[in-house]
Amino acid sequence: MELFMFALLGLVSIGSSLAMIGHKNPVYSALYMVVTFATTAVMFVLLKAPFIAAVQIIIYAGAVVVLFLFVVMFLNLKAAVLLERRRGPLLLAFVLAGLVAGELAAVVATGAWPDTDEALVPPGFGSVASVATVLFTRYLVPFEIASIILLTGMVGALALARRESITPETAYDLRGPDGGREKPEAGDGGGPAGGPDASVEPAEREPVPIGVEVHR
Amino acid sequence: MLAALGAIGGTALKVALVFGILLTMVAYLVWLERKVLGHIQSRRGPLHVGPHGLLQPLADITKLFLKEDVIPDGADRVIFSLAPGIAVASAMSAIAVIPFGQVVSLFGHPIRLHIADVDIGILYILAVGSLGVYGLILGGWASNNKFSLLGGLRSSAQMVSYELSLGLALVGPLMLAGTLRMQGIVDAQRNLWFICLQPLGFIIYIVSALAETNRIPFDLPEAESELVAGYHVEYSGFKFAFFFLAEYVAMITVACVATTLFLGGYHGIGVNAAWLGPAWFMGKVALLLFLFIWIRGTLPRFRYDQLMQLGWKVLLPLAFLNVALTGVIAIWLDRSS
C-alpha cells in the first residue's frame, strides 16, 4: 500500500515538475509547481513527518507561489518573450545537469547509499514536538541567526522598493522612469489570451500595496 | 483487511454525512442572512416561497442550475473552470479535523464524531485555508477582464495580509492547551473556555476571519460599486454558484474553528451528555454565524488603505502582543504552581 502510494505520488510529482518546466504559460507553470509541492507534502505525511508536510503547504504553496502568481500577473509576460532561448545558459544547464547525474551515479556505484531497512532517524522524528525540541535547544543560535538574516533581507527589500522622495505628486505615480508615456502594445495585459479586454495599461492599475504603503 | 475496509467505509459515511449537513447549512445560512438583513433594514426578507420563505433556498439553487453557463471569449477555459472548484475544496477540507462531539455509541459501536484526528490539526486548517486564495486569484485572472483581475489581486493581497494575524491568534489557545490536536484543545477547555483566557485572541481571530472570508466590512474584492463584482464578475450559472458556495462554506468553517478553539467546542454549560455534544457545537456555530450577519447589517465597507492599515499596523502587533503575554503568563503560572 505504502509502495503503491509512493509510486503514484512520485509519478505525479515528476510529471508535474516536467510540465512546470515545459509549459509555455507561466501561470500554468506556477500551478504545476503547486501540484509538485502538494505531492511532496503528502510524501512527508507518508514518512510520518506531518509537521514538515503542513509547513511545506503553508509556506511554499500558500505563500511563495502566490507571490510568483502576483509577479506573473503584474508583469503580464507574453509567451513569445518567454520562449526566446539563449544558447549560453542552456549549455551551462546541460553541463551542470550532467555533473549532478554523474555524482548520483558515483554515489550509487560506490555503495555509499545507505543499504538498510532500519529507520535512520528515531521514531517520532518530524513531529511537532521533536522539531521544536531540536530547534529551541541544540540549534537555537543558528535558528535565531537565520531569523535575523530574514528580517534584514525584508527591511532591505522595503528600503530598495521605496522611492527616494515621496511627494504628494509622485505618491501614486508608479509608472516607472519614463513616466508611463510608453504605450503598451494592444493585447499586452489583462488576461491569458490578450483578448478585447486585455489592454489594461499598467499605469491605470491601482497600486496594490503589499506590505509597503505609500502615504499621501 | 476487513477491519481496514470497515474503517474506510465508516469514514466515508461520516464524510458524506458532514457534507450533506454542510450543504444544507449553506442553503439555510443564505436564507437566514436574507431574513436577518431584511429585519435589520425594516424589511421582511423572503416571504413568498413556502412559509416565511423557507423554500427560497431550493428556488435559488434551481435557478442557478438552470442558468446558462457562459465562458467569455479570450478566457483561459481550463483555469476558468478549475478556479471555483479550488475555492470550494479548500473551504470544505478544513472541516475534516473539527471534532463535533465526544465518542458516542450507536447500536453498541463506539463512534467518534470526528472525521480525522490528526496531530497537526491547527496547522492543517491553516494549510488548506492558505490554498483558498488560488480560487480567487485564478478566477480573476482567467476571466480576462480587468475588473476581475483587480478583484483577484486585491483579494489575494488581503488574504495573505490577514492570514498572519489569523494564524497568530490561534497560537494563544494552542499554547494554553499544549497541543496542536483539535481534540486535545477541546478537552483542555472542559472547565474553562479559552475565550475567557484569550479575549484579545478571540477578537483578533474574528476580525481576521471576516477579512479572510471577504465578508463586509472587508468585502473589497467584490466591491460592487468600484469593481462591478470583483473576481467573479464573468462567472454565471453553476460556476458562480460554486464561488457563492465557497464563501458560505468558508464562513461556516471559520465559525467551527472559532467554536473549537475559543468557545469550548462540544462542551456545554451544565448539561453535558455525550449525545448533546453536536447540539452544543451547532448552537455555538449558529451564534457566530448570526454575529457575522449582524456585522454585515451594521458596518459599511472599509477603504483599501484602511484595510491594509488595520491588518498590518493594528491587528498584527496586537496578535504578537497576545502571543507574548500568553507565553509569559503561562510560564509564570507554571512556575508558581
Side-chain angles (χ1 to χ4, degrees):
Chain A
M1 186 67 186
E2 202 163 295
L3 188 71
F4 171 72
M5 287 288 283
F6 178 75
L8 192 69
L9 286 168
L11 280 178
V12 174
S13 181
I14 293 170
S16 56
S17 312
L18 287 176
M20 174 188 100
I21 300 166
H23 211 285
K24 276 185 257 174
N25 191 328
V27 173
Y28 277 84
S29 294
L31 285 185
Y32 279 120
M33 199 145 106
V34 176
V35 176
T36 312
F37 287 148
T39 45
T40 316
V42 180
M43 281 190 203
F44 280 129
V45 173
L46 282 183
L47 291 170
K48 299 198 171 55
F51 175 71
I52 300 170
V55 168
Q56 168 94 6
I57 296 279
I58 293 173
I59 295 178
Y60 287 100
V64 173
V65 181
V66 172
L67 203 67
F68 285 179
L69 276 179
F70 250 88
V71 174
V72 168
M73 287 178 186
F74 267 122
L75 293 181
N76 268 308
L77 296 173
K78 276 191 289 187
V81 180
L82 289 164
L83 278 181
E84 229 175 71
R85 286 240 164 87
R86 273 170 293 168
R87 280 271 155 106
L90 204 63
L91 201 68
L92 185 68
F94 268 111
V95 171
L96 289 178
L99 274 178
V100 172
E103 207 173 358
L104 270 176
V107 167
V108 175
T110 54
W113 201 265
D115 185 25
T116 170
D117 277 343
E118 279 171 49
L120 292 172
V121 291
F125 186 83
S127 69
V128 184
S130 69
V131 172
T133 310
V134 175
L135 208 58
F136 287 108
T137 53
R138 196 167 156 199
Y139 297 111
L140 179 65
V141 178
F143 177 62
E144 294 296 335
I145 291 176
S147 69
I148 290 172
I149 291 175
L150 283 174
L151 187 66
T152 319
M154 224 158 72
V155 173
L158 289 185
L160 286 178
R162 226 186 151 88
R163 285 298 177 87
E164 290 281 306
S165 59
I166 297 171
T167 60
E169 284 77 38
T170 58
Y172 272 82
D173 185 26
L174 298 179
R175 282 173 285 192
D178 63 334
R181 253 162 292 152
E182 195 189 11
K183 190 100 179 132
E185 294 162 55
D188 198 23
D197 219 339
S199 56
V200 195
E201 287 177 37
E204 284 173 4
R205 294 216 181 117
E206 189 192 13
V208 181
I210 314 147
V212 197
E213 270 182 89
V214 187
H215 294 284
R216 243 197 280 238
Chain B
M1 189 64 198
L2 208 65
L5 273 181
I8 292 173
T11 309
L13 262 179
K14 280 191 223 171
V15 171
L17 189 67
V18 170
F19 191 73
I21 293 175
L22 196 61
L23 289 186
T24 318
M25 270 179 81
V26 168
Y28 279 91
L29 181 58
V30 178
W31 174 82
L32 185 76
E33 175 152 40
R34 293 176 67 178
K35 213 62 184 167
V36 171
L37 278 183
H39 283 284
I40 286 176
Q41 297 161 354
S42 302
R43 296 182 285 114
R44 300 179 71 184
L47 266 183
H48 292 289
V49 192
H52 294 279
L54 267 173
L55 296 178
Q56 186 70 41
L58 294 179
D60 287 346
I61 293 166
T62 318
K63 184 197 78 174
L64 283 168
F65 263 110
L66 296 179
K67 277 214 167 176
E68 188 189 355
D69 184 20
V70 183
I71 297 182
D73 264 0
D76 190 308
R77 301 181 76 90
V78 178
I79 294 186
F80 189 81
S81 309
L82 194 65
I86 296 177
V88 172
S90 86
M92 278 191 177
S93 329
I95 300 274
V97 295
I98 305 276
F100 301 106
Q102 285 155 309
V103 179
V104 297
S105 59
L106 186 70
F107 306 121
H109 295 285
I111 293 173
R112 298 178 73 97
L113 297 177
H114 199 164
I115 294 176
D117 189 16
V118 291
D119 270 339
I120 46 149
I122 293 184
L123 287 177
Y124 170 83
I125 287 172
L126 290 177
V128 295
S130 70
L131 295 180
V133 67
Y134 282 107
L136 277 59
I137 191 171
L138 290 175
W141 175 80
S143 305
N144 192 27
N145 174 321
K146 59 180 110 172
F147 295 111
S148 349
L149 181 67
L150 282 175
L153 289 174
R154 267 193 188 185
S155 68
S156 41
Q158 176 177 333
M159 286 177 85
V160 170
S161 307
Y162 277 81
E163 233 166 49
L164 296 171
S165 342
L166 189 87
L168 283 172
L170 299 183
V171 172
L174 82 87
M175 277 163 105
L176 293 175
T179 174
L180 289 169
R181 194 183 278 268
M182 301 301 261
Q183 194 76 48
I185 294 171
V186 175
D187 285 343
Q189 299 178 78
R190 187 171 293 127
N191 299 319
L192 185 62
W193 298 356
F194 282 161
I195 189 176
C196 307
L197 304 170
Q198 288 281 321
L200 184 61
F202 181 70
I203 292 167
I204 295 170
Y205 176 81
I206 291 293
V207 175
S208 318
L210 282 174
E212 281 287 293
T213 48
N214 296 323
R215 297 275 304 170
I216 285 178
F218 303 108
D219 67 332
L220 284 126
E222 46 183 296
E224 62 267 29
S225 45
E226 34 184 319
L227 285 180
V228 201
Y231 59 91
H232 57 52
V233 61
E234 297 287 0
Y235 281 89
S236 58
F238 195 54
K239 295 196 184 96
F240 172 74
F242 256 57
F243 270 127
F244 202 69
L245 178 67
E247 188 181 324
Y248 281 85
V249 171
M251 257 173 89
I252 295 175
T253 306
V254 296
C256 286
V257 174
T259 304
T260 309
L261 266 77
F262 291 100
L263 299 182
Y266 50 75
H267 291 304
I269 309 167
V271 202
N272 244 333
W275 272 109
L276 273 176
W280 277 112
F281 187 86
M282 290 295 229
K284 292 173 192 173
V285 169
L287 264 181
L288 283 174
L289 290 173
F290 179 76
L291 178 73
F292 291 163
I293 298 172
W294 187 6
I295 290 174
R296 176 173 172 184
T298 312
L299 294 178
R301 182 183 300 136
F302 275 89
R303 232 173 37 225
Y304 197 79
D305 57 322
Q306 291 171 329
L307 172 94
M308 285 293 160
Q309 292 246 354
L310 180 71
W312 290 97
K313 294 188 180 164
V314 180
L315 282 183
L316 193 60
L318 274 180
F320 274 123
L321 182 76
N322 186 46
V323 170
L325 275 181
T326 310
V328 168
I329 293 173
I331 288 179
W332 182 61
L333 285 180
D334 216 33
R335 286 270 165 78
S336 60
S337 66

